[in-house]
């Protein structure tokens, strides 16, 4: 399985995925600090009152971004190859079709999970460094806060990585890239978006359940791929 994932990364030019993630990090950081330096000080009510608020926003924006990013990867790795019939060539190799598909899915799942962890660690550290010098939010980083945030990030990242597979179930019906990407945006709008300070993802059971659902749906969608015509 690991060998297949390495082949997929090489075939898809891993550097392009790395650059895509780095650009996403930069855009998320730019959006966050725009709110930090422009929106927050100018409002009657503070946008951030604690490090918890800031960490939460970083995590929320990150999950929204990388769920959509994952749908683009799925479109390239699976949807487009089924639509253009190039998957037929891969299935001609003396390797189980199921292993080929699940290697692609594992790559997207792992890429999403790892990027969310890295994003939260890097941008979280940057937020603390900036706020320590600027002093906009009067708060301190405690061990309890870091432990709580770390556990939350792990669970939310797992849920987001699983949810990132859900758009594939919609896109494969018509083998449509547009459907795959749009469905990921709808998932983000329903689960991750914040309305009046509340988000469904704050109920940790929701993203975890949807994450498990995403894994199960993709498994059942391709469990018989070895025996069907492409």
């Amino acid at each position: 399985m690991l060998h297949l994932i390495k082949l997929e990364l090489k075939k898809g030019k891993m550097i392009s995925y790395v650059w895509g993630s780095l650009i996403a990090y930069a855009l998320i950081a730019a959006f966050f600090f725009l709110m930090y330096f422009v929106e927050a000080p100018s409002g009657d009510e503070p946008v951030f009152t604690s490090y918890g608020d800031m960490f939460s926003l970083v995590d929320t924006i990150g999950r929204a971004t990388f769920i959509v990013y994952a749908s683009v990867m799925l479109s390239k790795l699976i949807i487009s190859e089924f639509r253009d019939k190039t998957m037929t060539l891969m299935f001609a190799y003396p390797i189980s079709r199921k292993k080929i598909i699940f290697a692609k899915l594992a790559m997207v799942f792992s890429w999403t999970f790892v990027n969310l962890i890295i994003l939260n660690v890097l941008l979280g550290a940057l937020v603390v460094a900036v706020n320590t010098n600027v002093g906009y939010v009067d708060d301190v980083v405690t061990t309890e806060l870091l432990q709580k945030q770390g556990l939350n990030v792990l669970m939310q990242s797992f849920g987001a990585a699983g949810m990132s597979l859900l758009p594939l179930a919609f896109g494969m019906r018509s083998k449509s890239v547009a459907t795959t990407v749009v469905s990921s945006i709808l998932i983000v709008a329903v689960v991750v978006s914040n309305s009046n300070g509340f988000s469904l993802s704050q109920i940790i059971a929701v993203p975890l359940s949807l994450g498990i659902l995403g894994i199960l749906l993709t498994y059942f969608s391709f469990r018989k791929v070895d025996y069907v015509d492409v």
Side-chain angles (χ1 to χ4, degrees), residues 95-182:
I95 304 173
S96 167
R97 293 181 178 184
K98 191 180 295 184
K99 284 186 177 181
I100 293 173
I101 294 294
F102 287 164
K104 292 174 180 285
L105 294 174
M107 189 179 87
V108 175
F109 180 95
S110 302
W111 193 262
T112 304
F113 180 81
V114 170
N115 269 290
L116 286 173
I117 299 297
I118 294 174
L119 172 71
N120 276 278
V121 171
L122 291 181
L123 195 47
L126 183 60
V127 165
V128 173
V130 170
N131 188 71
T132 300
N133 288 283
V134 175
Y136 170 67
V137 175
D138 186 17
D139 194 12
V140 295
V141 178
T142 64
T143 302
E144 182 181 0
L145 173 64
L146 292 178
Q147 290 176 341
K148 180 180 178 181
Q149 182 63 19
L151 179 60
N152 183 67
V153 166
L154 284 173
M155 292 190 293
Q156 292 284 10
S157 297
F158 175 85
M163 274 191 285
S164 71
L165 303 179
L166 279 174
L168 188 62
F170 300 99
M172 277 301 295
R173 293 190 177 187
S174 56
K175 296 181 176 61
S176 169
V177 170
T179 301
T180 307
V181 176
V182 170

Side-chain angles (χ1 to χ4, degrees), residues 6-35:
K6 289 179 181 178
L7 287 176
E8 281 296 333
L9 287 171
K10 185 179 294 185
K11 186 180 74 172
K13 297 181 179 179
M14 184 178 178
I15 190 65
S16 65
Y17 297 130
V18 173
W19 274 112
S21 294
L22 292 176
I23 292 171
Y25 294 171
L27 291 175
I28 292 168
F31 179 78
F32 175 86
F33 285 111
L34 178 66
M35 294 188 65

